[in-house]
Amino acid sequence: MVNLKLDPDVVELEEGFSRDVRDLGCLGIKDGVEVRIRSRKNLARARDLIGRVAA
């Protein structure tokens, strides 16, 4: 799992892949998106979201 400091309102959330973690009290990030990387395919999909954080 990776927690990204992204606005969940501007990210297309997908069941089992990404979720809104606002108000969940996640360690190190209080507003953002959690991404679950379980395969190489998921990693490729997550790369775009990770790039948004760096930009």
Side-chain angles (χ1 to χ4, degrees):
M1 281 187 271
V2 177
N3 289 321
L4 303 173
K5 188 149 181 73
L6 293 172
D7 182 355
D9 293 329
V10 298
V11 174
E12 184 177 337
L13 301 175
E14 298 177 43
E15 182 79 28
F17 174 67
S18 56
R19 71 178 181 147
D20 181 348
V21 294
R22 286 182 285 203
D23 302 321
L24 292 181
C26 289
L27 184 62
I29 190 167
K30 58 183 192 177
D31 294 330
V33 175
E34 176 186 274
V35 177
R36 293 178 180 226
I37 301 171
R38 298 179 181 179
S39 67
R40 288 179 190 243
K41 184 178 179 181
N42 285 139
L43 180 60
R45 291 169 53 200
R47 192 173 295 137
D48 291 331
L49 294 175
I50 294 167
R52 288 188 198 181
V53 174

